[in-house]
Amino acid sequence: MTDIETRTLEAPGATVTYDVRGDLSAATPEVPALLLIGSPMGADGFGTLASHFTDRPVVTYDPRGVSRSVRPDPGSPVRPEDHADDLHRVIDALGVGPVDIMASSGGAINALALVAEHPEQVRTLVAHEPPSGPALPDRDAALAAVQAVSETYRTQGFGAGMARFIALTSWEGPFPDDVAELPAPDPAAFGFPAGDDGSRDDPLLGQNLISCTHYEPAYDALTAASTRVVLAAGDESGQQMAARAARAIAKSLGSEAVAFPSGHGGFLGDEYGMPGDPAGFAAALRTVLDGDGPR
């Protein structure tokens, strides 16, 4: 088992905690350190995937407002640019030159923002299912669907908000124009409480939901970047929003999304009781990092 060294750094408005597996001095231009990131998923979600990359240093972290990366106002929104600045600081602190990144979901949004500003820090970015509403042909309906989730959370609390969020993320195909007016699902159907405890500091629904899903990639900056940007979508994700966005962003960058095994959480082992295909996912990731796939 690889030892894990936990480090912290101070960033404006947050203390960011990250973990280093392996010897950073072993990183080379050919086999750089690998960052595995999500949002709001923290470091705990990437243990299984990290175990497949013992040939290089692996870094995971908790995004600001999540788990060990504390901030004084956990309920206020955080922009992808803020997360990108945290990642910039983490990479700078590693001191090992350009890194490779596998970023999933909101982490993929944040990593695209990072590459747009600091392409010199990233050799290859694999952006797995970034849920960008503006990337979609049905952008107005998609953003309205997200706003409906946010409003449900604001007025009814966590259980109702999460039920509507799951309905959003599992929707197949373009959203209808009246999506925000569709009946909200019953929280109990998903095992969530129907009551409202009054809290509004959930990292997903309160901190990141709107800013993440409303982010539009900086296509000109990404196209001009020295970073190799590869979009990825799960081969079981069908026409769900995040997979559709990955394919749309790839098209806007003049490439095609690479199919990865399983679905949105394809890299997961038993971390949350919803395993994907981490071995297959790791093999696909290694193939891309070794240079097989679009720029």
Side-chain angles (χ1 to χ4, degrees):
M1 179 182 226
T2 304
D3 290 337
I4 300 175
E5 177 188 357
T6 298
R7 302 180 180 183
T8 62
L9 59 80
E10 295 301 318
T15 298
V16 178
T17 300
Y18 61 102
D19 298 320
V20 178
R21 292 170 170 81
D23 181 2
L24 285 172
S25 67
T28 68
E30 294 75 26
V31 187
L34 173 62
L35 271 65
L36 303 175
I37 64 173
S39 181
M41 182 179 288
D44 286 348
F46 293 96
T48 300
L49 184 59
S51 71
H52 289 273
F53 290 90
T54 57
D55 59 320
R56 66 172 76 196
V58 175
V59 179
T60 56
Y61 94 126
D62 293 335
R64 62 169 55 207
V66 174
S67 188
R68 303 166 298 172
S69 291
V70 296
R71 54 192 295 254
D73 184 12
S76 62
V78 178
R79 304 174 305 151
E81 292 86 354
D82 299 323
H83 288 299
D85 185 65
D86 292 342
L87 291 166
H88 161 65
R89 292 170 186 272
V90 168
I91 295 169
D92 191 53
L94 295 175
V96 293
V99 301
D100 285 343
I101 299 179
M102 194 299 291
S104 187
S105 194
I109 293 285
N110 302 336
L112 289 168
L114 169 69
V115 169
E117 288 295 322
H118 300 285
E120 75 285 351
Q121 289 192 310
V122 186
R123 185 188 75 153
T124 296
L125 165 62
V126 178
H128 179 252
E129 299 203 1
S132 169
L136 299 173
D138 52 319
R139 58 178 291 162
D140 290 344
L143 296 179
V146 176
Q147 289 285 357
V149 174
S150 180
E151 180 66 9
T152 300
Y153 173 64
R154 186 186 71 80
T155 59
Q156 300 178 47
F158 174 78
M162 277 303 298
R164 191 144 203 161
F165 175 77
I166 291 174
L168 164 75
T169 57
S170 59
W171 188 280
E172 289 281 342
F175 294 102
D177 291 340
D178 64 348
V179 63
E181 286 135 39
L182 296 178
D186 180 2
F190 300 100
F192 295 118
D196 182 359
D197 65 5
S199 65
R200 295 296 186 272
D201 57 359
D202 182 71
L204 169 61
L205 299 176
Q207 174 179 281
N208 295 296
L209 179 66
I210 295 296
S211 57
C212 172
T213 56
H214 285 51
Y215 178 79
E216 184 162 19
Y219 294 113
D220 289 346
L222 293 172
T223 300
S226 56
T227 304
R228 178 171 167 252
V229 178
V230 178
L231 277 296
D235 59 15
E236 295 178 8
S237 294
Q239 294 299 312
Q240 295 169 0
M241 176 181 170
R244 291 198 297 126
R247 299 181 193 111
I249 293 170
K251 184 176 180 180
S252 293
L253 295 177
S255 64
E256 294 184 1
V258 176
F260 268 51
S262 192
H264 192 65
F267 54 88
L268 289 170
D270 292 325
E271 284 86 356
Y272 304 116
M274 298 180 292
D277 179 6
F281 193 102
L285 177 58
R286 189 176 293 278
T287 296
V288 172
L289 295 180
D290 286 346
D292 187 5
R295 179 189 180 280

